[in-house]
Amino acid sequence: MEPRDLSAHTVYRAGRGIEEVARELGLNPDDMVKLASNENMYGPSPKAVEAIRGAAERMHSYPKASHADLVDELAALWDVTPEQVWLSNGGDGALDCLARAMLDPGQDVLVPSPGFAYYAMSARYHHGEVNEYTLSKADDFAQTADTVLKDYDGERIVYLTSPHNPTGAEFTTDAVRTIAEETDEQTLVVVDEAYGEFSERPGKRSLLDDRDDVALLRTFSKAYGLAGVRLGYAVVPEDWADAYARINTPFSASELACRSGLAALDDDEHVERSVETAAWAREYISAELDAPTWDSAGNFILAEVGDASAVADAAQERGVIIRDCSSFGLPECIRITCGTREDTEHAVSVLNEVIEVVEA
Ligand SMILES: Cc1ncc(COP(=O)(O)O)c(C=O)c1O
């Protein structure tokens, strides 16, 4: 037998882990710096670590109370009803929930190029077809209403990323409003704010007050440092928020995830420190790296280095893992995650050596 026709499906290629690379290169993992997956430079919120330890004894139970408690807390934070918070297995899971709730087989979605690969993957899993809008490098990857609307052709879901991965560019709230206004009544505009905490601009929450066609996505993977537990959520308009109960997998956010999420929400110090260090690292990298960079509102910076694959390979041999952006369609660019001061300074100095050697 065979699976259904998966020829249009692509494989998600995650950034490689320190252990994997260290083993391959015969290096000591403790001597390596990984700035490739936009993870938190300080690791998880310490309060979340404590909560997971405390929850270990309860792992035999399904996550009911913890799920409800976390939803209530997030609803209060966003000033929405609990039904409007769609908790999920990472931000990726929230994308799946939205696709499952919205897409009939054969309907189209519109995704950014370059952009986060999982929008298209999720849509295809849900029998959708994928079209793209282009962020132009010549235009510094500007994200305006026109960037999207020029390529819009009645798609059911339009995905916006703000701050955008991998460029760091943002949409203004007005631009998102214009996109929602100019697209069809039955088009959902998903604003992926996975990196929202790192931005200095206001989030897009206000749009939910007067629109039923904008949903937001957030994750605990970045500013809260919980990528390993897989916890994210969508905040959706009240009108159709009850769809979650019909499409959600049972217990999609685990007991450990919910408990750690609750604790992380209570750890302002960890988030503030992470956001401040990211702001410092963005400035440092753009000032000190011997390559052009783009302004970023996320916890990463895109840089143009010529041959990204050669630079990434050479940096890796010297113990620094960054992201070669060839898979984003940018073979001349690398993306560097903001690290601690020490890791960022070390990475920039290694990258500068490598850029010089590769250019020569
Ligand atoms: C733009 C964007 N959205 C969503 C996600 C999903 O993150 P997670 O599933 O870890 O919450 C990522 C992960 O890197 C991302 O870069």
Side-chain angles (χ1 to χ4, degrees):
M1 69 161 288
E2 285 180 21
R4 68 186 168 100
D5 179 8
L6 299 175
S7 52
H9 292 236
T10 47
V11 178
Y12 184 78
R13 306 242 177 249
R16 299 174 74 213
I18 284 193
E19 283 79 12
E20 193 186 350
V21 175
R23 215 173 296 140
E24 188 183 300
L25 299 175
L27 299 173
N28 179 350
D30 294 340
D31 297 337
M32 302 196 71
V33 169
K34 183 187 173 209
L35 299 178
S37 299
N38 298 343
E39 291 153 337
N40 191 300
M41 72 282 282
Y42 293 122
S45 141
K47 289 194 180 178
V49 173
E50 212 176 294
I52 286 189
R53 288 211 177 95
E57 302 290 328
R58 282 195 301 275
M59 270 194 291
H60 61 293
S61 310
Y62 286 108
K64 274 207 82 180
S66 59
H67 188 285
D69 289 352
L70 181 54
V71 164
D72 284 349
E73 195 134 322
L74 289 168
L77 186 71
W78 288 88
D79 191 20
V80 294
T81 65
E83 288 69 34
Q84 288 175 264
V85 178
W86 291 17
L87 214 55
S88 53
N89 183 29
D92 297 340
L95 291 168
D96 283 342
C97 286
L98 291 169
R100 211 175 302 147
M102 286 295 149
L103 290 181
D104 278 324
Q107 283 187 315
D108 293 341
V109 305
L110 190 63
V111 306
S113 172
F116 182 53
Y118 197 68
Y119 306 138
M121 294 170 66
S122 173
R124 290 195 177 106
Y125 295 157
H126 295 89
H127 305 275
E129 309 278 335
V130 179
N131 302 326
E132 293 181 342
Y133 62 92
T134 307
L135 306 188
S136 149
K137 189 173 157 204
D139 212 6
D140 285 333
F141 304 107
Q143 299 207 107
T144 65
D146 192 49
T147 313
V148 179
L149 294 173
K150 69 179 170 17
D151 289 324
Y152 171 74
D153 189 22
E155 284 84 358
R156 173 72 157 145
I157 307 179
V158 173
Y159 296 91
L160 312 180
T161 322
S162 190
H164 177 265
N165 177 12
T167 67
E170 295 185 273
F171 282 98
T172 62
T173 305
D174 281 348
V176 178
R177 185 184 296 282
T178 305
I179 292 165
E181 269 164 10
E182 299 286 316
T183 50
D184 199 88
E185 250 179 49
Q186 292 300 323
T187 292
L188 173 68
V189 177
V190 176
V191 190
D192 177 349
E193 299 186 315
Y195 302 98
E197 290 83 359
F198 297 103
S199 165
E200 280 160 20
R201 283 181 194 269
K204 310 294 184 277
R205 159 67 185 86
S206 60
L207 296 174
L208 267 73
D209 286 334
D210 53 348
R211 303 208 61 93
D212 68 356
D213 55 358
V214 175
L216 310 180
L217 181 134
R218 290 270 170 155
T219 180
F220 283 84
S221 295
K222 309 297 177 184
Y224 295 96
L226 297 180
V229 307
R230 315 302 303 128
L231 184 64
Y233 57 99
V235 187
V236 310
E238 197 165 8
D239 283 10
W240 46 270
D242 61 350
Y244 180 61
R246 296 170 195 274
I247 54 87
N248 186 28
T249 46
F251 310 110
S252 55
S254 77
E255 175 71 12
L256 297 185
C258 293
R259 291 285 166 208
S260 59
L262 276 162
L265 280 183
D266 196 30
D267 195 348
D268 292 341
E269 196 189 321
H270 178 262
V271 176
E272 278 162 23
R273 195 166 157 239
S274 309
V275 168
E276 272 169 33
T277 306
W280 169 85
R282 289 190 306 244
E283 295 255 314
Y284 181 85
I285 297 169
S286 55
E288 299 297 328
L289 189 74
D290 296 337
T293 55
W294 281 268
D295 283 347
S296 169
N299 65 338
F300 53 85
I301 284 256
L302 186 73
E304 180 158 18
V305 294
D307 184 344
S309 155
V311 167
D313 285 350
Q316 192 166 283
E317 278 164 24
R318 291 163 167 81
V320 171
I321 313 173
I322 45 84
R323 179 73 186 249
D324 160 14
C325 289
S326 300
S327 65
F328 286 100
L330 298 170
E332 68 290 13
C333 292
I334 58 169
R335 189 194 64 199
I336 308 155
T337 300
C338 297
T340 58
R341 284 175 186 246
E342 192 188 348
D343 285 354
T344 304
E345 285 169 3
H346 175 63
V348 167
S349 109
V350 167
L351 283 167
N352 283 345
E353 273 170 43
V354 162
I355 289 167
E356 200 181 333
V357 173
V358 170
E359 267 175 358

